[in-house]
Amino acid sequence: MYFDLRKAFDTVDHKILLQKLYGYGIPGIVHEWFRNCLLNRKQFVSINNIDSDLDHINCGVPQGSVLGPLLFLVYVNDIANASPNSGIRLFADDTNVFLYGKSLSETNLKAEEVVNELSLWFLANKLSLSIDKTCYSIFGCHDIISRQSNTLKLNDTVISKVDRCKYEMAVSH
């Protein structure tokens, strides 16, 4: 299964992120620095020398910085706890889950359970999926797969079954 987060870096909740930083052992002055950095950010838009009002940024991590991706990874690092037996793999803002079973129906039951668990985690962390970019593939004996129909849903919305999907993963050397 391939889960795509909608505007992942833009939707990180500052209060949740600060709680997670504290939980990972970043208290005191360093925690205050992160708090000030996140909670005191402002932005405006300028088009043809016309500026919008200056407004507070209520969520998101700084993009185009070294810190932004790191803070996002801290934010999503605990996703595996939501479904500890599901083989979750993260790459940037992509979440991939690899499941297997002795039968297609067994695997489908596991997939439904993982989708429900991850749905609750996304909700608790104020993240939402791009359902049109979220999909799944089934690997195995082609004859068995083509004869059996299965549908995977997320909150009553059917997740697309695809033959292929771009999967990127960091490679360690």
Side-chain angles (χ1 to χ4, degrees):
M1 295 179 287
Y2 313 94
F3 297 92
D4 186 84
L5 291 172
R6 180 179 298 132
K7 298 189 180 232
F9 284 64
D10 294 332
T11 56
V12 169
D13 183 273
H14 292 159
K15 289 180 182 177
I16 294 172
L17 175 58
L18 289 168
Q19 289 172 347
K20 290 183 182 201
L21 285 167
Y22 190 84
Y24 283 121
I26 301 176
I29 294 172
V30 177
H31 192 268
E32 275 302 305
W33 182 86
F34 279 109
R35 186 181 173 286
N36 289 331
C37 177
L38 291 168
L39 299 182
N40 293 323
R41 292 175 52 228
K42 297 178 183 181
Q43 72 179 14
F44 70 96
V45 176
S46 181
I47 301 174
N48 295 327
N49 293 325
I50 300 172
D51 298 341
S52 70
D53 292 335
L54 191 62
D55 203 4
H56 278 88
I57 299 174
N58 297 321
C59 58
V61 293
Q63 294 185 42
S65 70
V66 174
L67 193 56
L70 179 63
L71 289 173
F72 179 77
L73 291 176
V74 167
Y75 196 77
V76 298
N77 188 56
D78 63 343
I79 193 171
N81 297 337
S83 186
N85 300 316
S86 63
I88 294 174
R89 300 291 178 259
L90 297 173
F91 180 75
D93 60 342
D94 293 325
T95 304
N96 301 289
V97 179
F98 298 92
L99 300 170
Y100 61 91
K102 294 180 181 179
S103 68
L104 188 57
S105 58
E106 176 188 332
T107 307
N108 196 53
L109 285 174
K110 287 181 182 180
E112 288 173 356
E113 182 179 335
V114 170
V115 166
N116 289 331
E117 291 167 342
L118 290 182
S119 178
L120 291 173
W121 186 90
F122 292 134
L123 184 64
N125 286 277
K126 299 183 180 180
L127 296 171
S128 60
L129 290 174
S130 294
I131 196 70
D132 54 322
K133 294 181 183 177
T134 297
C135 57
Y136 71 100
S137 296
I138 300 175
F139 304 96
C141 181
H142 180 68
D143 292 339
I144 294 171
I145 292 170
S146 62
R147 281 187 275 134
Q148 294 185 9
S149 65
N150 65 316
T151 303
L152 193 54
K153 292 183 178 181
L154 174 67
N155 301 328
D156 295 325
T157 303
V158 175
I159 299 174
S160 299
K161 180 181 172 187
V162 297
D163 292 329
R164 63 183 73 107
C165 181
K166 185 177 179 181
Y167 174 66
E168 298 180 35
M169 188 170 99
V171 179
S172 301
H173 294 281

